[in-house]
Amino acid sequence: MALKMRIAIIGQSNFAADVLELLLDRPNIQIVGVFTIPDRGSREDILATTAIIHNIPVFKFACWRRKGVALPEVLEQYKSVGATLNVLPFCSQFIPMEVIDGALLGSICYHPSILPRHRGASAISWTLIEGDEVAGFSIFWADDGLDTGPLLLTRQTNLEPTDTLDTIYKRFLYPEGVKAMGVAVDMVASGVAPKIIQTEVGATYDPAMFKTENQVINLQATAEKIWNFVRGLDSVPGAIATVLHENGTEEQIRLFGAHLYSAGPVSKGKFLRLRGLTKTAWIHSGGLLIEGTDGAFVNIRRIKRGTKVINASEWFKQAEDQSITDFSEDELVKRSLVAGIWKAILKEDVDSSTDFFASGAGSMDVVRLVEEVKETFDVPLQNEQVFMAPVFEEFFSLLVRFLRQGSAYSDDQQLNFQAFTLKANKREIRVPTQLFINGEFVDADSQRTLEIVNPTNEEVLCRVACASATDVDKAVQAAHSAFYGSWRQITPRQRGQLMLNLADLMERNKEELATIESVDSGAVYTLALKTHVGMSIEAWRYFAGWCDKIQGNTIPVNPARPNNVLTFTRKEPIGVCGLITPWNYPLMMLSWKMAACIAAGNTCLIKPAQTCPLTALKFAELTVRAGFPPGVINVLPGKGSDAGQAVADHELVRKLGFTGSTPIGKHIMKSCADSNLKKCSLELGGKSPLIIFADCDMDKAVRHGMSSVFFNKGENCIAAGRLFVEDRIHDEFIRRVLKDLRTMTIGDPLDRSTAHGPQNHKAHFDKLLEFCRRGVDEGAKLVYGGCRVPHLKGYFFTPTVFTNVTDDMFIAQEESFGPIMIISKFNGSDVDSLMQRANRTEYGLASGVFTKDIGKALNFADRIEAGTVFVNLYNKTDVAAPFGGFKQSGYGKDLGQEALNEYLKTKCVTVEY
Ligand code: NAP
């Protein structure tokens, strides 16, 4: 049998371990010893661990020589293995010539550049810094110079514009390098390995980039040079720059994620002063933009400040963040406990800059970390919080915040906001009164405020900040940064979990929310609890479930033969969405729209109705507690003509979800078209017909007929705007309605026995009085109400009934949006005419029919022009069922799976193979 070649491997790291594994497969080779570095703490180099698994003798030397002289005991151990070839895959130590020449066949060494260019320890960095067009590696015969020995082989690849130190190493220098080491050893074994003397032409000895002074970037350079320098040090150690703060202090930062930026200077950015840069640098929504000496631009996506890597676009936000520095002794003890948990999971020493994921942790490790921390410290940590704070220092600060607050989701947690205290319903509720932008409560730019009136007693409740176009712009910029930054880091399932957290918090605060809604909008408390708040919670839960089920299709298309083609679609979020809502169900309208919008992966800002924005502000507070990243949800109370209009006009808003009146909806649609052709969905007014046939269940028809009009004091978009009652039961129906109306309890909406509260605000109340006056003037018969409730302060409008209403009357055509029942007769033999009359309106939101004849009911459902049809019931909406109108009641759906599509766009991808 032929003698095996005896190899000593001298080196360290995964690269060397992979070379070892590769050579172990060679039958003509025996690995006789592995020489590597000593353990660091309890952590052994992977090369040693791999060698031990394969029963190969391992030697760990701190150094091989002292004062230039090889250590005899080290030499002796090396000689004991009797190697005929030394293989140095990746070696950071100085190996004495007695060892280099100690093997019969010599020593072969891997070097990550095409020698003789870029000799020295930082060859890969210099390949990029110098803007080389090709990168590569050499395997050479080691001699007594620095990377000067004769070449055995070289390999090269083109450098891509997207390459960084990391990518070139991972995609080429590492995998191809390991393979080439095997090839080189085979060539030596078969006696065909060349020794090509290196030419000195083009040889460079580049400085080592592990020295901090060499990592400082020269910003007095062209954009291309700046770009190359940053990517040459990306991701380790990162190019150093210095920020000159306005207060005269300086801060050293590291730059990552550079790319040339041909879009030129940004108009919306904030200036940042960098030492050595005479040109301009801005923080903008895409990062940090630096102008080179040649007038071209380079953009930096990420910045490391201290131990934390942030999106460069969030520089000014981060600058305001309060990082914890004043740890107590007890907290420092806890710090070592947490470090111990990290260390046990990562199997490496942990310091403040250790990144959980960069150290190799996976999703199971996240679960283990969360469970161990919860068990040790009894805090309600969530998996997604690890993803948001992956660096040890951030993670520990997060934990300290939990511990100091008692609980991250504690109701006692005091966020920093101005509030008014609502004392109602046997409770005291703090309600924020500022705008909510980028995760913080802030004053309006103009300092203007809105007066919020309690409709039950007509007294001013409080004043809240009133947003202007400037505030809208700030919120849009925040939502834009979040959409392209932190929100993208969150997986769909984590997004769903955040929404569930929010729903749970709303559930826990449902009495508070319902109380606010009742006082602010006049909603009856029990209804507010069940519908306004209850259905809001259901909407968040329902859409949370959709987050990880948003899927495209694969589509069979005709291939261009002889090739095959794969076509598939992706459903993608649209971007920043503006939401504008009315005052009738403030929290529910917000939730219907926003839950679908957020589930689809968008970020948003909402302008609630100016008359009752309080539940939206309380909701904003809960989003912080639920863990939503800043900028994802922004809430801006304000006037429609100002803040609302600014949302519709904004060029970075890509979708507008609007609920409100038809005239404003038309106006908004024009603004969407004129500004940037943003997608819009419009949920508008209604004048819904309700048909009651003589063969109905009369009790049910009266009960539902009443609720079809008087539910939520008629401030209900699907309210039956017109009742058609068959002539045979007309009088009986009216008699029973009037009987029930006379016993209806009207009064304080917080009283549990109240069935009918005050109208939302004065202008609306006055409009209802005017509506009734027109009805009377036109000759309709006012059989009940039509006026203020006598002896009651507040906007209490008496539930009203009109009969003898003809089709041409104003009250038959127009929406009242109040508790006004409009009744007309029909003859049961003439259903065709009835259907024409029911459809003779420009609205098409909802409709209803009462009959025991299923044929009649389905015939009605076929022929009615409305987005919703109720048969033998009314007002039955559900978060899973699509909701929206036809004709001038708008288009697009809220709720159900269809609502998701309003906030998604479809991308079609075609691949030839
Ligand atoms: P609205 O007057 O149309 O107002 C709706 C929202 O639009 C409010 O936030 C309003 O701000 C804002 N707005 C006004 N002018 C604007 C502009 N130029 N640009 C952008 N936003 C502007 O309706 P409303 O009186 O509040 O609500 C009642 C109407 O809503 C009724 O017609 C009802 O049928 C309809 N509605 C429809 C549905 C549905 O799902 N189809 C549901 C509920 C209500 P301000 O607060 O400053 O006025």
Side-chain angles (χ1 to χ4, degrees), residues 854-899:
I854 186 70
K856 262 193 216 164
L858 290 179
N859 192 26
F860 172 82
D862 281 352
R863 296 170 68 180
I864 193 72
E865 294 164 357
T868 295
V869 182
F870 295 118
V871 177
N872 292 333
L873 85 173
Y874 208 87
N875 282 331
K876 175 64 190 144
T877 53
D878 189 279
V879 292
F883 179 97
F886 292 175
K887 300 195 290 193
Q888 294 200 34
S889 289
Y891 54 84
K893 296 286 180 196
D894 275 341
L895 303 181
Q897 186 181 1
E898 286 199 35

Side-chain angles (χ1 to χ4, degrees), residues 450 579-585 589 592-593 607-612 638-649 656 658-665 667-668 671 682-687 715-719 761 764 767 815-817 843 845 883-885 889-890 894:
L450 293 167
L579 310 176
I580 299 179
T581 46
W583 40 259
N584 57 333
Y585 294 101
M589 290 295 103
W592 281 20
K593 297 206 170 304
K607 194 215 78 72
Q610 60 168 301
T611 57
C612 39
K639 292 177 190 278
S641 53
D642 183 1
Q645 186 64 50
V647 177
D649 287 341
L656 196 120
F658 175 80
T659 296
S661 62
T662 298
I664 300 288
H667 172 82
I668 286 214
S671 302
L682 304 170
E683 298 290 340
L684 307 177
K687 188 72 179 170
E715 295 167 354
N716 186 16
C717 54
I718 54 170
H761 56 277
H764 177 54
K767 250 176 77 182
E815 178 186 36
S816 74
F817 215 51
Y843 295 111
L845 191 54
F883 179 97
S889 289
D894 275 341

